[in-house]
Amino acid sequence: MQGVHKRYGAFPALSDINLQVRRGERIVICGPSGSGKSTLIRCINGLERHQQGRIAVDGVELTGDPRATDAVRREVGMVFQQFNLFPHLTVLENCTLAPMWVKKMPRREARDLAMHYLHRVRIPEQAAKHPGQLSGGQQQRAAIARSLCMRPKLMLFDEPTSALDPEMVQEVIETMVSLAEEGMTMLCVTHEMGFARQVADRVIFMDAGQIVEANRPDAFFDAPQQARTRLFLSRIVH
Amino acid sequence: MSAGWAVVHERFRFILLGAYPRDQQWRPALAIVLFVALYVLSARRACWRPWLPAAWLAILTGAIVLMRGGPLGLARVPTESWGGLPLTLLLATVGFAAAFPPGVALALGRRSALPAIRALSIAYIEVMRGVPLVTFLFMASLMFPLFVPAGFTIDKLLRAQAALALVQAAYLAEVVRAGLEAVPAGQREAAASLGLRFGPATVLVVLPQALRISIPALVNTFIGFFKDTTLVTVIGLFDLLGTARAVIVDPRWFGAAVPVYLLVAAVYFTFCFAVSRYSQHIERSLMAHGHQ
């Protein structure tokens, strides 16, 4: 991302964002609510359109051309705060839908792939159920599996644990840690600072649509450079 | 009063099946069975499969061929002789089925990001809902022939059927639109993030949920439409109410209005009540299961 700007009407949602993510890098983005962190990652797969600057994923620039957007979305998976599983389909069908309709994969192959990733997130026994029958943690793991079925090169996480009951946060975090350990490139908007310390290569702090500070997790948490970062950390770390 | 009930006994077949040739009346009777079978089939959730629209097409085509004759050595029966309950069921069911695809298209059109499509959809919906149905029936029956070359005719029943379907499409569009708006924006975002384009996302993700949400309202609309088809009597078609009126105005059966109307009311009530009970049942079951 280079010099990215985005406004909602007169309100600047993102101002002059510059961010380079290397293959295999794990980045955690934090910041107060309304600071633009969700908007930032939603721009990366074209759910939001930026107005200035350039965003490119693996050499493909998001220009507004639908073909470019399609190409980027094939490479980029996304996990949402509210899971956004398809409630009218079973967990398995949630996972096979995109491989079958976007990649034209045969049904049998798509099912095998889906079961492989449902094993990965440790809920293969839930495959035949509908999302409404699963716990929140299981739903979010199903959503992660659904994304992985497209074999993305980059995964975006938009506050994946914020809608979960506390006792279910850990199972989702563990799934994300195991993904990180396998070398997945990840951009995570989260307030799970334990996760940030454990796996992040860089922690980015955003406020008012700007990147205020970006650093290695130990430096970020132990010696924040900016006053706004210190204030934010003092509020969330008890 | 006993004379009144005698008319029901005497003219029962005419009221129920119209002026259809008496020796061929097994055909409209079988058509009634086909329509009821179609309703029962569509009511079962196990049948909510991709083949259901094909079943509708097959059964409706079958019913029309049965009534009309031609193939399979069936004698031709002109639509002027069709009447009674089969005609009512035909108008309502074919009208609803024909209105459904354009209704969904109009609902999507009204939410389109393209201003021209949105404006056209809104204009169509508002005009069709804003003008009384009778007006369209009169136009289809009286004015349409004036605007086409002499010698070119379209069956009057077909014209009435088209008018009913065109108006009904506007009502269905509004019902489906309400369903579309009830599907959370996150569903479309999730579909987009998986690489599904607008078309597949709409058909595979958004519409199935929107239509499930719409079912109670759709059923309600159908009940209203079922009764609205009685308006075709004003252009001289003999639907169930039309055959009843034809019996009542017969001087030989003077004073028979009450029992005949009661009979007709009972038939309409039976269908509408069954559909309404089904609607309540499906509403409860959808609430119990979330909308799976």
Side-chain angles (χ1 to χ4, degrees):
Chain A
M1 299 180 102
Q2 275 176 2
V4 170
H5 289 259
K6 175 169 180 64
R7 285 172 302 275
Y8 293 117
F11 176 76
L14 295 176
S15 309
D16 194 24
I17 299 290
N18 293 287
L19 176 64
Q20 180 90 31
V21 182
R22 290 184 303 277
R23 203 172 294 272
E25 199 175 14
R26 278 91 58 168
I27 294 180
V28 163
I29 305 170
C30 60
S33 99
S35 58
K37 33 190 210 307
S38 287
T39 308
L40 174 73
I41 64 166
R42 287 164 60 88
C43 281
I44 295 173
N45 68 350
L47 286 183
E48 307 272 358
R49 184 85 186 96
H50 57 290
Q51 286 131 345
Q52 259 181 56
R54 57 185 299 271
I55 301 176
V57 179
D58 210 15
V60 180
E61 186 179 347
L62 282 165
T63 53
D65 177 356
R67 278 168 304 182
T69 309
D70 280 348
V72 166
R73 284 176 181 168
R74 278 164 164 264
E75 307 293 330
V76 179
M78 186 166 207
V79 175
F80 298 84
Q81 182 176 355
Q82 300 296 338
F83 327 137
N84 294 348
L85 289 167
F86 307 133
H88 59 300
L89 302 177
T90 64
V91 168
L92 184 69
E93 288 165 340
N94 265 274
C95 293
T96 56
L97 188 75
M100 284 173 60
W101 290 89
V102 179
K103 291 190 170 171
K104 313 292 176 206
M105 192 181 279
R107 179 182 297 269
R108 177 183 292 271
E109 196 182 328
R111 291 174 72 100
D112 291 346
L113 182 71
M115 287 313 295
H116 168 76
Y117 283 113
L118 288 173
H119 273 285
R120 269 278 303 271
V121 300
R122 302 196 316 278
I123 48 168
E125 72 286 354
Q126 310 293 340
K129 291 188 188 168
H130 282 87
Q133 296 165 283
L134 272 58
S135 74
Q138 290 170 331
Q139 288 190 49
Q140 193 60 298
R141 286 187 280 153
I144 293 171
R146 176 176 71 175
S147 263
L148 292 176
C149 284
M150 286 298 282
R151 299 190 185 280
K153 293 183 180 152
L154 164 67
M155 284 285 284
L156 306 171
F157 291 84
D158 190 0
E159 305 205 29
T161 57
S162 300
L164 294 174
D165 290 334
E167 75 271 21
M168 292 171 183
V169 169
Q170 201 49 41
E171 63 190 60
V172 171
I173 293 292
E174 279 166 16
T175 306
M176 292 168 64
V177 169
S178 82
L179 257 184
E181 284 168 350
E182 288 173 26
M184 175 66 78
T185 312
M186 296 164 77
L187 263 165
C188 313
V189 172
T190 181
H191 294 133
E192 294 297 324
M193 292 303 139
F195 173 77
R197 269 188 194 272
Q198 192 181 347
V199 305
D201 299 304
R202 262 191 292 169
V203 181
I204 290 173
F205 174 70
M206 285 185 71
D207 193 17
Q210 292 172 308
I211 294 180
V212 175
E213 185 164 354
N215 217 330
R216 294 194 324 277
D218 50 352
F220 181 87
F221 289 112
D222 302 333
Q225 303 295 304
Q226 302 288 328
R228 278 191 284 178
T229 316
R230 283 195 291 271
L231 182 64
F232 175 75
L233 288 175
S234 72
R235 283 181 182 156
I236 61 161
V237 180
H238 305 288
Chain B
M1 202 63 185
S2 62
W5 288 105
V7 65
V8 169
H9 182 71
E10 189 82 2
R11 304 292 280 153
F12 184 73
R13 272 196 179 204
F14 177 76
I15 294 170
L16 211 60
L17 301 175
Y20 211 85
R22 207 170 169 84
D23 60 331
Q24 297 287 321
Q25 283 184 347
W26 61 272
R27 283 157 57 180
L30 186 57
I32 294 176
V33 174
L34 281 178
F35 284 122
V36 173
L38 185 60
Y39 299 156
V40 172
L41 195 70
S42 309
R44 294 179 52 84
R45 281 177 79 175
C47 298
W48 293 0
R49 296 273 143 207
W51 52 259
L52 190 59
W56 270 70
L57 196 63
I59 291 181
L60 292 182
T61 309
I64 291 168
V65 169
L66 189 64
M67 295 280 289
R68 193 158 170 270
L72 308 169
L74 293 170
R76 266 295 169 92
V77 177
T79 57
E80 286 78 21
S81 309
W82 300 12
L85 184 59
L87 187 66
T88 293
L89 293 174
L90 182 83
L91 286 169
T93 317
V94 173
F96 201 78
F100 200 76
V104 171
L106 285 165
L108 291 167
R110 191 162 187 170
R111 289 165 54 84
S112 170
L114 304 171
I117 291 180
R118 197 166 59 237
L120 279 175
S121 305
I122 292 175
Y124 182 89
I125 291 168
E126 295 305 335
V127 167
M128 295 311 245
R129 288 199 311 166
V131 177
L133 177 56
V134 179
T135 316
F136 288 108
L137 288 174
F138 276 131
M139 276 164 64
S141 144
L142 303 173
M143 287 171 62
F144 179 76
L146 303 178
F147 289 102
V148 295
F152 179 84
T153 56
I154 294 179
D155 189 274
K156 183 158 88 170
L157 175 59
L158 186 59
R159 279 180 272 141
Q161 180 75 83
L164 285 171
L166 290 172
V167 172
Q168 190 59 15
Y171 285 93
L172 287 180
E174 287 300 274
V175 170
V176 173
R177 182 169 71 101
L180 287 172
E181 272 164 19
V183 177
Q187 291 291 311
R188 200 174 268 290
E189 287 179 357
S193 75
L194 287 166
L196 289 163
R197 290 182 169 194
F198 181 83
T202 302
V203 173
L204 299 168
V205 174
V206 179
L207 268 182
Q209 297 182 57
L211 293 180
R212 275 172 168 80
I213 296 168
S214 308
I215 285 170
L218 283 172
V219 172
N220 190 41
T221 309
F222 180 73
I223 292 176
F225 182 56
F226 187 77
K227 292 177 296 174
D228 280 351
T229 59
T230 55
L231 283 171
V232 299
T233 54
V234 302
I235 57 166
L237 291 176
F238 290 93
D239 75 328
L240 186 55
L241 192 63
T243 54
R245 286 166 55 90
V247 167
I248 290 160
V249 296
D250 186 338
R252 284 177 299 155
W253 299 105
F254 185 71
V258 171
V260 169
Y261 276 137
L262 280 177
L263 171 70
V264 169
V267 174
Y268 275 106
F269 179 79
T270 305
F271 275 91
C272 292
F273 186 66
V275 173
S276 158
R277 292 299 301 198
Y278 166 68
S279 166
Q280 285 169 21
H281 157 78
I282 203 75
E283 213 167 329
R284 271 195 305 273
S285 108
L286 287 177
M287 263 199 271
H289 292 82
H291 44 87
Q292 292 169 8

